[in-house]
Amino acid sequence: MRRLNEATLKDLPAEVPRPGYDRAACTVGIVHLGIGAFHRAHQAVYCDERLAAGEHDWAICGASLRSPAVRDQLAPQDGLYTEAVSGPEGENLRVIGAVTEVLVAPEDPEALVARLAAPETRIASLTVTEKGYCHDPATGALQHDHPDIRHDLQQPERPKSALGLLLAGLRRRRAAGLAPFTPLSCDNLPHNGATLRGLLLELAEANDPALARWIEAEVPFPATMIDRIVPATTDADRDRIAARLGLRDEGAVICEPFLQWVIENRFAQGRPRWEESGAQLVDDVAPYEEMKLRLLNGSHSLLAYLGYLCGHKTIAATMADGPLRRLAQVFMDREAGPTLSMPPGADLEGYKADLIARFANPGLQHRTWQIAMDGSQKLPQRLLSTARDRLQAGAPIDVLALALAGWMRYTGGRDEQGQAIEVRDPLAPMLAEAFASGEGNAAEIVAGFLKITDVFDPGLAGDPRLADAVSAALQGVLKKGTAATVKDTLTRLEG
Ligand code: CS2
């Protein structure tokens, strides 16, 4: 079957929308680090609309920091790919044209640094996931002993990490007398703009203090809250889409209808008019981000670990399991919701109801295994900050404790049938060791996990209320199994 590309665009079925603008006349204004499915289904969709509206100087150069896979998918397609919006009523396809170039950093770091330093580049955005920041998730400090950071300190002109790449681009702009680009973190981290700023300054301080002073004075780091559920695309998805397009698309992305982007309005050299495509430009992103991290991502992690252990492959299947669906609701109503300082005018009840419906979306095959990945990097902001606030208020944490017990049981590496779990996490060996060394004793296992300072700060780790609640939940999971413990917890909390 022929590939989707500029030459075959005209052969698409008439009902599939496609870029109606002259892509060849567009120039790159944004370099995006981490061109995975999420970026292609989120920021690139907003940019596609702005290009269509005539803002021609905001096309995207996407960069992969590790594998050439996305470049190999998109290069033969001239950067074109399908956004497949999948909901209860079916799937709508649309071809996106905002990505006009894809680079692979490890193949040619110089090409990427040069792109970052080009005068037309005014924004450098990132979706590199939590672990891509090379920081300690519990404290937020830069990991100076991270192999990529060590490399970037020695070879700042041929960087590997996202931080090193941004710094190299900024260094070259400063040397050339150019204004900086605006670094725009689009990852699920608390205070993502300030976090990125702190880490970049720490890295700059280590080998170029004058650059650090320039960044402090000249570079804004707006915070963002990003939201759209975008599961990894499968071969079955690609085959289904090819059958509808009549063209093969190796770069297609599958996503839900929901789309939200809240951005702090602080840019060094302008930005596309994203607000005309539905983005919210605000002065303070923090309440939006907290609401999303604690309710959406917190529930997601809870459902992923407990759902996986109950034998469910996807979040939709987990939501079809009555007690687990109920537990997500109780988690939001009783434990996470009350800790939030809500954004102005937000409707908490409506937001939670929408989340339940979004998780249950039968059009998405979002694997529990995918969300379970990198828990050590995710849980501090998704569950542990909530637990800290609850404990400070003297409030109970039964559901949070059960979610943490599920994570510990999962990262132990065997499911309830004794089958190996492929645990993906930068700390996987440490987590497996904490589980194994407890020798089946819940309190010992929990004590082993609480010693992992990358995840648990000393205040939380030393709070006996946390240790006791998680030990009690884990005891249930180990003795009775996850499904029975979920039911017992609900009975205890709700009668
Ligand atoms: C998910 C997120 O994989 C995960 O950990 O919780 O990717 C989630 O789907 C997005 O943040 C939704 O905006």
Side-chain angles (χ1 to χ4, degrees), residues 38 130 188 226-230 256 292 296-297 300-301 358 366 370-371 378 382:
F38 182 81
E130 295 84 350
N188 285 318
I226 43 131
D227 193 7
R228 188 172 225 186
I229 295 176
V230 187
E256 63 172 341
K292 194 253 171 176
L296 188 157
N297 298 113
H300 241 180
S301 291
R358 290 171 63 193
H366 202 183
Q370 189 188 351
I371 299 165
K378 293 173 174 173
R382 296 182 177 202

Side-chain angles (χ1 to χ4, degrees), residues 132-320:
Y133 287 76
C134 305
H135 72 318
D136 179 355
T139 63
L142 181 69
Q143 290 182 333
H144 286 268
D145 58 350
H146 190 292
D148 291 355
I149 296 299
R150 281 215 306 261
H151 170 276
D152 293 358
L153 283 168
Q154 276 156 14
Q155 295 192 49
E157 284 303 311
R158 290 187 64 77
K160 280 188 177 170
S161 71
L163 300 175
L165 286 159
L166 291 175
L167 210 55
L170 289 169
R171 184 183 300 110
R172 218 173 272 189
R173 296 183 82 94
R174 175 170 178 258
L178 290 171
F181 51 69
T182 300
L184 189 66
S185 168
C186 297
D187 282 293
N188 285 318
L189 290 170
H191 311 292
N192 51 14
T195 300
L196 177 60
R197 177 178 193 268
L199 293 167
L200 263 193
L201 285 175
E202 219 177 315
L203 187 60
E205 209 66 73
N207 64 4
D208 193 345
L211 180 61
R213 298 291 81 72
W214 185 72
I215 293 173
E216 265 174 347
E218 304 291 335
V219 186
F221 288 84
T224 63
M225 182 274 253
I226 43 131
D227 193 7
R228 188 172 225 186
I229 295 176
V230 187
T233 308
T234 64
D235 288 339
D237 294 327
R238 291 188 193 96
D239 292 347
R240 186 182 68 246
I241 289 168
R244 280 192 55 195
L245 294 180
L247 296 170
R248 190 82 199 158
D249 176 3
E250 299 298 339
V253 290
I254 319 296
C255 53
E256 63 172 341
F258 184 93
L259 181 63
Q260 190 180 13
W261 196 9
V262 185
I263 310 165
E264 188 185 355
N265 199 2
R266 236 159 27 93
F267 287 78
Q269 295 196 72
R271 55 168 175 79
R273 288 196 289 278
W274 286 315
E275 67 275 34
E276 290 180 20
S277 298
Q280 295 156 265
L281 276 297
V282 302
D283 292 334
D284 184 12
V285 172
Y288 296 90
E289 152 217 294
E290 188 180 71
M291 174 175 80
K292 194 253 171 176
L293 283 174
R294 292 190 181 190
L295 292 180
L296 188 157
N297 298 113
S299 306
H300 241 180
S301 291
L302 169 141
L303 290 166
Y305 297 117
L306 299 175
Y308 187 100
L309 291 170
C310 290
H312 301 307
K313 291 221 163 10
T314 66
I315 292 294
T318 306
M319 291 299 282

